[in-house]
Amino acid sequence: MGPVERVWVYLSATPLLWLAATLLAYEMGSWIFRCAGGSPLANPVPIAVAILIALLHATGTPYETYFEGAQFVHFLLGPATVALAVPLYQNRVQVRQALVPMLTALVAGSATAILSAVALARWLGASSETLKSMAPKSATTPIAMAISEQIGGLPSLTAAFVIATGIVGAVLVTPLLDALRIRDWRGRGFSAGVAAHGLGTARAFQVNELAGTFAGIGLALNGVATAILVPILLGWLR
Amino acid sequence: MITALTVLLGCQLAGEVAARLLGLPLPGPVLGMLLLFVLLLGRVRLAEPVREPAQGLLRYFSLLFVPAGVGLMRHAGRLRAEVLPIAIALVVSTAVTVAVTALVFQLVARAKGER
């Protein structure tokens, strides 16, 4: 065994390599994001994901091996979600004032997310498994996967759709809301959280703390709304 | 820092346990968020040191989605086979959802006469 192979044998057995690679890819994504003048089209997450998938392909590394390292980053999603309570608390007065607009927008947005995805994909000839897996795509991953399982979709495919939705939402939310001339940070953030869960929320926090707070509420509320609405709406569409 | 981590993980743990015990359709971390919010409202002393580390964690919220995003590669086959319906449905549906949610929010907020 040559020295290069020895190094590779060591690296492929430790979580260190892919944990470091995840952080490095994100740093590269952030660097490109800054070079692009903070353009939402250069979101660091899809850039990092593309770099890492290319690397894993090039080295013939399976996702499971990658995840052994990356799980330490992934694990922090839980405590970070709990941490959303802090901006929620700090902005509680504004949140209470906006309760009625939020709940109305939630019902409209949640139903739109489910119906438009399923109707469009069906019209374009997607398979039944794909449709069912796509229905809860705007909810946060654990809720979406549970719903998918309940209605006969594929939970892991749902997770892929949820992430793809989040990436799409994070990229298009700023230009789209600018085009619609919506300037209220509360409505902007809330729509990002409802449509694009945690990734929309992360994007909202990049722009404005109040928007991020409302996005966090949108994320939490739409998890519940999607769990209630998907079984009802899919029954209608049949 | 350790106090903050203890509080955050403690709330998440309580949330995970509650979700399973009560059979709630909500994930543990979301219940944990509600619990921490209630603790903050009650001005529980333990919750105070959480603020800054929590905000620090949220600054890097998007990084935490990278490992799950790389998981897209596990579905390369299906994504390729049904690329058009999937891509169009996801992009259009997400755009329409953002627009509908934001417009309804604005409409109702204005109807209520604020701002």
Side-chain angles (χ1 to χ4, degrees), chain A residues 105-176:
Chain A
L106 168 70
V107 176
S110 191
T112 304
I114 300 160
L115 288 175
S116 62
V118 175
L120 254 174
R122 183 158 72 172
W123 181 59
L124 292 165
S127 65
S128 148
E129 269 175 340
T130 300
L131 292 181
K132 286 178 187 156
S133 306
M134 196 183 276
K137 67 159 183 26
S138 285
T140 181
T141 318
I143 300 186
M145 288 175 77
I147 298 170
S148 173
E149 182 141 47
Q150 184 198 337
I151 60 169
L154 303 171
S156 79
L157 183 62
T158 296
F161 289 153
V162 170
I163 292 293
T165 299
I167 291 174
V168 169
V171 168
L172 61 70
V173 68
T174 303
L176 178 63

Side-chain angles (χ1 to χ4, degrees), chain A residues 188-212:
Chain A
R188 288 181 71 109
F190 190 71
S191 66
V194 167
H197 54 91
L199 277 153
T201 304
R203 169 64 192 157
F205 269 114
Q206 267 178 356
V207 180
N208 178 283
E209 207 216 47
L210 186 62

Side-chain angles (χ1 to χ4, degrees), chain A residues 23 26 45 49 52 56 63 66 70 73 76-90 92 94 97 101-102 105 109 112-113 116-117 120 124 126-127 129-130 137 142-143 154 156-157 160-161 163-165 169 176-177 180 182 186-187 191 195 198-199 202 209 220 224, chain B residues 8-9 11-12 25-27 29-30 32-33 36-37 40-41 43 50-51 54-55 57-58 60-75 78-79 82 84-86 88-106 108-109 112 114-115:
Chain A
L23 295 179
Y26 185 78
V45 177
V49 167
L52 287 164
L56 293 170
Y63 180 73
Y66 165 76
V73 171
L76 290 174
L77 266 178
T81 304
V82 175
L84 286 169
V86 169
L88 179 62
Y89 171 76
Q90 284 169 334
R92 62 195 178 284
Q94 274 161 298
Q97 279 171 352
M102 272 198 305
T112 304
S116 62
L120 254 174
L124 292 165
S127 65
E129 269 175 340
T130 300
K137 67 159 183 26
I143 300 186
L154 303 171
S156 79
L157 183 62
F161 289 153
I163 292 293
T165 299
L176 178 63
L177 292 175
L180 291 170
I182 290 169
R186 304 170 306 164
S191 66
L199 277 153
E209 207 216 47
V224 185
Chain B
L8 291 175
L9 289 178
C11 287
Q12 186 186 347
L26 280 176
V30 172
M33 170 175 82
L36 179 56
F37 180 64
L40 287 165
L41 281 180
R43 300 221 168 73
V50 170
R51 282 196 195 169
Q55 279 164 337
L57 199 52
L58 289 177
Y60 296 99
F61 201 24
S62 67
L63 162 69
L64 313 183
F65 289 92
V66 171
V70 177
L72 282 172
M73 68 186 272
R74 281 186 297 176
H75 295 282
R78 181 184 297 261
L79 295 177
E82 298 183 45
L84 268 186
I86 290 175
I88 295 175
L90 285 184
V91 172
V92 174
S93 166
T94 306
V96 173
T97 305
V98 169
V100 166
T101 312
L103 287 170
V104 170
F105 185 99
Q106 178 165 287
V108 178
K112 278 190 71 210
E114 43 158 324
R115 297 208 178 171

